[in-house]
Amino acid sequence: MGMKASLITVLTLQLTLGGGRNIDPQVHIKPYFPPALPTLENLNTLCLQGNGRPRYPASCLPASGYGYVHRAGNAVNKIEAWFSQCCNRGVAQGNKQILCCAKQAWKTGLSHFCFEEYATMDLTHKCCKKKGKGRWNCFEEQAPNPSYLPLPSYTAPLIPLDQIFTWDPKIC
């Protein structure tokens, strides 16, 4: 537990102070990618503690290399912003609709991540190689933070997004 607390402290300081270039970028993303599948059990924390989970601004990552980390960080940034849209912007009403919206945001964000993974010469994430439910089950099983617990004393920076998420309530 001491090692995990130390890692979280270092991660918090690095992300808060913008010093991500001082440590291996893999350390930044591993504890938070992939994000967990939204469920009724984690929905409250997912919605109420969103600003306490890491974001990955460009200043936090090396200018070149670490393509996977950039793609994973971008996916987390998108998904977290879209969760906020589902939870806080009046797009969805009530837990069932908010959960449906969050699940769509999760799947859309990870689908974009997989599309970007296949567009590179890097090795593709193992979950992206799967299809349908197998892909989503893989990402869910790989999620290191299934409860969506926030980092202590961390406030996420605002990161402008280049893609808009549109929730389709008819899918619910």
Side-chain angles (χ1 to χ4, degrees), residues 125-169:
H125 190 284
K126 70 179 187 177
C127 295
C128 293
K129 294 177 182 177
K130 299 178 186 284
K131 303 288 183 202
K133 287 186 180 185
R135 176 180 285 182
W136 311 129
N137 290 340
C138 181
F139 278 124
E140 183 178 4
E141 291 166 5
Q142 296 286 311
N145 186 14
S147 298
Y148 278 96
L149 297 176
L151 285 172
S153 303
Y154 174 82
T155 302
L158 292 176
I159 297 179
L161 291 177
D162 58 354
Q163 294 175 327
I164 304 285
F165 169 70
T166 304
W167 172 55
D168 183 0

Side-chain angles (χ1 to χ4, degrees), residues 39-104:
T39 65
L40 283 175
E41 289 76 28
N42 64 23
L43 187 63
N44 193 42
T45 306
L46 181 148
C47 287
L48 297 178
Q49 302 293 324
N51 285 338
R53 291 185 299 275
R55 301 302 188 279
Y56 302 93
S59 63
C60 184
L61 301 171
S64 62
Y66 297 98
Y68 165 78
V69 175
H70 282 268
R71 290 186 297 278
N74 287 336
V76 168
N77 292 344
K78 285 177 193 174
I79 292 168
E80 288 286 355
W82 295 343
F83 284 166
S84 178
Q85 184 179 330
C86 294
C87 297
N88 302 320
R89 298 203 184 126
V91 173
Q93 302 296 318
N95 282 351
K96 286 185 180 181
Q97 281 193 340
I98 292 170
L99 179 59
C100 178
C101 180
K103 283 182 176 180
Q104 284 181 39

